Structures are given as structure tokens and as C-alpha cells.
Amino acid sequence: MTNFQNSLPYAQQADRDDALHVFRSQFLFPQHNGKNAIYLTGNSLGLQPVTARAAVEQELNDWATYGVEGHFEGKNPWFHYHKFLTEKAARVVGAKPIEVVVMNNLTVNLHLMMVSFYRPVKNRFKIIMEGGAFPSDQYAMETQVRFHGLNPDEAIVELTPRKGEFTLRTEDILATIEHHKNELALVMMGGVNYYTGQAYDMQAITKAAHAAGANAGFDLAHAAGNLHLQLHDWDVDFAVWCTYKYLNSGPGGTSGVFVHERHAANNELPRFAGWWGHDEHTRFQMQKGFIPMRGAEGWQLSNAQIFPMALHKASLDIFDEAGMQNLRAKSVKLTGYLEFLINELNQILPEEKKLNVITPKDPEQRGAQLSILAGKDGRKLFDHLTQNGVIADWREPDVIRMAPAPLYNSFEDIWQLMQVIKNYLTT
Ligand SMILES: *Cc1c(COP(=O)(O)O)cnc(C)c1O
């Protein structure tokens, strides 16, 4: 256990002791009254790395200098640009390079994966997903089911917490998989739920899905760059993630895809293809007959989006330097400190003002984010935060989400945040 203390000197010492504290200066913070805002929305849009601008300028310059020849003559030839990202992205999610490709946007990739890994047949057509999943995921599942001529009410099984609880119990998830095992085609969950901040046991879920004869896929929008993922070892079939949340790769940024190695050479898997997924040796012969690349690259459609990828490359360099395991270790402490200070404050608050954290207390079952169920005055507290230079976020109907990002948030950030909250709730 960490011996946290509720004091500014403690927080400042924790920052001095933190080997990752140096990375803070590699990010650009929104300003509030001439100072860095307390930025807690890295789960929504990560901050801009200082290196991002030069990374984009490099490609603009190569475009200006070489025109089309930039595909081969540029510093980072565009023809292979996506490959510059693969190894580093694979390290972030615990995958082999053959299992990862960066392309498109998240929801697009979710659909592409569903085409290959949701193959309903007469008696095996159900999808298990978390109830109240992010809306894009709900719409993707609903319309995929309809695409196969099935009824979403029959095909989609939603997991919901027990009465009076906010998050799912792993045992209940596994029991639901077991219950539907004869009809189950796919288990498709978030890695971390965007609303509650709950991290699911992806290894156990995947194992249960496979035992039931189903595939297991994960939307890692809130998990990539947040948790220490081991997608290969966990035997996950597929995963998708965006790069603009914890991965700091800019608004609307590109996305990552994982397809397990055991599917790498399976050309029988149906897919929606494009020329960039075609065998690169014959890609430019422009002939009939799709032959997929081996591995995740075989799901590519289009040539690389250089500008979003340049941003992603700049960010992945930082993740590679910091190391995902180190980041996760700091994250556990940083979020633990936030939880500790919330508990300290609750001790001096009257019952009706206490902050109710709905994110699991077990660090293994959460990432960076804590979600606070804000009572009837929640919106006012949130507005107070905003006015005092705290950038957190409000999720309908009644949750304030705060996600200290270990790359750039400090223990002092957390302490200062809690002073702002304390001033509001105790006066
Ligand atoms: C952020 C997020 C999305 C957003 O999808 P885009 O295709 O990137 O717009 C989708 N699903 C989940 C779970 C998310 O957290």
C-alpha cells in the first residue's frame, strides 16, 4: 500500500520521486489565467505533444518538395507510412507486429472487424455486449445484426449490473456467456467502460467466449494507452481503438486494429477489401483477384492517411520511451491518490455532499479514470471546476469523469484539483 498524505508538500515530493514526471513538459496545456489548466480529460482528447507540429511539418515539407515522389523519396516514405507505426503500436497493446495495423477511424474499424468475426449462423447468432455501451458501439452492433437479416432484440444480449450496483461483476459476465453458450457467436465489450471507468477482465472473458465456441473482440478506445494490455497472450480475436484519447494523437485521429496471429493467414475469413490490404508484391499490377496481406495489414482498405499518422507517430515515440508498464504503474498511484483525497474530503463532508465514486475500488478493475456520480447539484460543481481552471468532463445523465493521464498529469495536479472541489463543497 502507498502511504499517501493529504498535503501539498507530499504531492510535490511524489512528483520529484516520479521518473515519468519529465514527460509533462513534452505536452502543451490549455491555459487558465496564465497557468496550465488542470487537464483531466485525456480519456476524451489527449494533449498535444510538443513534437506533433514538427511531425506534421515534415510531411507538409516533403509534399511541397517532392509532390507524388514523396511516396518514395520523402524522409518517411508515404508508401510504407503505416508500417512506421506498427511495432510501437503493438507494444502499447501487447501484440506482435503481424497482429497490428493502424488505419481508418475507430467505428469504421469496428465494422470491418465485425464483417470478419461476427458470422452468425442459424443456431449461433448472439452477441453479448455491455449494456449502456458507448453509442457508436451500440449502433454498430445493432446495424451489423440487421445487416445479417436478424433482429437486434433477439441477437443482442446486454450485460447489466445487479440491482443497486453500478458496475459488472466478472462472475456475472462469465455466467451470461455460459448461459448463452449454445447460441453465442461473439462477445464484444469495451476494455474500459467509458462511463463507469470499469476495466473488464479481458483474459477471463476471452477464455469463456472461446470455451463457448464464440469469438471475443474488444473496443479499446478507453483502454489503449491506459491499461497494460496483453492482447496476444490473452488470446483476444480482434480489438480496435482510437488514438486521440489516451494516445494523444489529435482530434479525429487515426485508429488501431488488432487481429490475433492465429487468424493471420486465414484467407477464408470474409472481409471488405481494398487495394491496400492486397499482397504488396502484386498490389500495383492492378489485377483481378484479392489476395490479402498476411496479418492485420490484410484488413487495410486505403493508402495511409499521412497527416493523422504523423501525429500518431510523434505520440507513439513518447509511449515507447516511457514504456506502457511504467505508465500503468504510475497511473495506479496517481488515480489511487485521487481516490485517497476524495475519501479524505468525504470524511469532513455531511452525508448529502459526499462524493460517490462509481468506478471500482480495485485498481485491477479500472484504468486512470474515476467517475463521480454527482447528485442534484452535480452540474453546479462541474461548472465550478471549469471556472477554476479544471478541465474535467460531464457525461449525461449525472457523471463527472476525471482521468489523470500518467504521461502529463502530476500529483500536484490532483492535490490542486481537490482544493478546488473542497472549497466548493465546504463553503
Ligand atoms: C470514443 C469512443 C468511440 C468514438 O468512435 P469514433 O469512431 O472514433 O468516432 C467509440 N466507441 C467507444 C467505446 C469510445 O470510447
Side-chain angles (χ1 to χ4, degrees):
M1 278 312 295
T2 317
N3 301 313
F4 292 133
Q5 290 172 28
N6 184 0
S7 77
L8 180 58
Y10 171 84
Q12 290 171 333
Q13 186 60 45
D15 286 330
R16 282 191 291 271
D17 294 343
D18 167 24
L20 298 178
H21 191 60
V22 291
F23 287 99
R24 184 176 169 89
S25 62
Q26 295 188 26
F27 290 87
L28 299 171
F29 283 75
Q31 298 294 296
H32 178 81
N33 294 341
K35 289 198 318 215
N36 286 350
I38 300 174
Y39 194 80
L40 298 169
T41 44
N43 57 345
S44 189
L45 182 70
L47 290 180
Q48 181 181 141
V50 172
T51 48
R53 187 175 297 271
V56 170
E57 272 172 9
Q58 174 70 47
E59 305 314 323
L60 282 170
N61 290 341
D62 283 352
W63 183 19
T65 307
Y66 300 109
V68 69
E69 300 299 335
H71 281 103
F72 299 99
E73 301 296 328
K75 176 163 182 253
N76 313 302
W78 303 327
F79 183 75
H80 297 297
Y81 204 92
H82 62 278
K83 292 185 196 274
F84 302 138
L85 310 173
T86 303
E87 284 188 19
K88 287 172 185 165
R91 279 198 278 278
V92 168
V93 297
K96 297 186 175 183
I98 186 106
E99 297 173 318
V100 169
V101 70
V102 173
M103 62 181 187
N104 308 323
N105 287 73
L106 171 57
T107 308
V108 173
N109 287 336
L110 181 53
H111 276 295
L112 293 176
M113 290 295 105
M114 296 289 287
V115 165
S116 296
F117 295 102
Y118 177 56
R119 303 296 305 156
V121 290
K122 196 155 180 297
N123 298 319
R124 199 175 266 288
F125 60 95
K126 288 188 176 172
I127 301 175
I128 290 180
M129 68 184 295
E130 61 209 292
F134 194 89
S136 204
D137 301 48
Q138 293 186 42
Y139 306 148
M141 296 305 119
E142 179 192 330
T143 55
Q144 282 284 335
V145 165
R146 287 190 201 284
F147 175 72
H148 290 283
L150 301 170
N151 177 354
D153 293 337
E154 289 164 14
I156 298 177
V157 179
E158 290 192 339
L159 297 156
T160 48
R162 294 186 187 185
K163 207 164 184 305
E165 298 184 6
F166 294 99
T167 51
L168 297 170
R169 298 191 193 191
T170 304
E171 65 203 87
D172 291 353
I173 300 174
L174 302 184
T176 306
I177 293 172
E178 169 72 15
H179 180 77
H180 291 278
K181 68 177 176 201
N182 294 326
E183 298 167 326
L184 194 60
L186 175 69
V187 179
M188 164 57 217
M189 309 259 304
V192 174
N193 182 273
Y194 81 100
Y195 191 76
T196 63
Q198 179 178 20
Y200 302 116
D201 186 338
M202 289 177 251
Q203 184 170 23
I205 292 169
T206 301
K207 197 166 165 227
H210 289 170
N215 284 327
F218 295 92
D219 181 333
L220 304 176
H222 281 262
N226 179 14
L227 301 180
H228 183 225
L229 300 164
Q230 295 291 310
L231 298 183
H232 175 84
D233 290 348
W234 295 344
D235 217 23
V236 165
D237 290 286
F238 73 87
V240 291
W241 57 94
C242 55
T243 62
Y244 50 82
K245 292 174 179 169
Y246 291 100
L247 290 174
N248 310 318
S249 302
T254 186
S255 162
V257 168
F258 167 90
V259 177
H260 199 279
E261 190 179 30
R262 77 176 159 281
H263 303 299
N266 184 355
N267 292 359
E268 300 303 309
L269 279 174
R271 53 186 108 189
F272 289 167
W275 71 323
W276 229 247
H278 186 89
D279 176 22
E280 61 190 346
H281 303 107
T282 56
R283 187 181 293 154
F284 284 87
Q285 293 173 9
M286 310 304 214
Q287 281 170 354
K288 272 165 88 89
F290 175 67
I291 303 167
M293 298 271 298
R294 241 184 122 247
E297 284 188 46
W299 273 266
Q300 292 174 109
L301 301 185
S302 300
N303 72 99
Q305 308 145 288
I306 303 305
F307 294 98
M309 287 186 181
L311 292 169
H312 191 35
K313 188 164 169 291
S315 175
L316 284 174
D317 286 342
I318 299 173
F319 273 86
D320 220 37
E321 204 186 323
M324 204 52 238
Q325 235 166 321
N326 301 331
L327 285 166
R328 172 62 178 160
K330 174 175 172 186
S331 175
V332 169
K333 269 193 213 150
L334 200 59
T335 297
Y337 192 50
L338 173 57
E339 181 181 51
F340 167 80
L341 292 183
I342 290 172
N343 290 339
E344 291 272 294
L345 177 58
N346 276 343
Q347 282 177 19
I348 60 165
L349 290 174
E351 205 52 43
E352 73 280 6
K353 285 195 175 180
K354 287 191 198 306
L355 297 168
N356 181 9
V357 177
I358 62 170
T359 309
K361 291 184 170 50
D362 173 9
E364 290 296 312
Q365 291 187 60
R366 69 186 184 202
Q369 171 184 331
L370 293 185
S371 300
I372 296 174
L373 192 65
K376 58 178 178 7
D377 289 336
R379 187 73 219 193
K380 281 193 213 147
L381 168 60
F382 179 74
D383 292 341
H384 174 80
L385 292 177
T386 309
Q387 284 152 20
N388 287 277
V390 175
I391 305 181
D393 94 359
W394 176 261
R395 277 293 122 140
E396 294 297 338
D398 50 7
V399 154
I400 296 174
R401 301 187 306 174
M402 298 191 271
L407 262 178
Y408 50 74
N409 282 121
S410 63
F411 289 87
E412 185 172 347
D413 276 345
I414 303 305
W415 195 83
Q416 298 291 3
L417 157 75
M418 291 308 296
Q419 303 317 299
V420 175
I421 295 180
K422 184 174 172 186
N423 284 343
Y424 180 78
L425 291 176
T426 57
T427 50

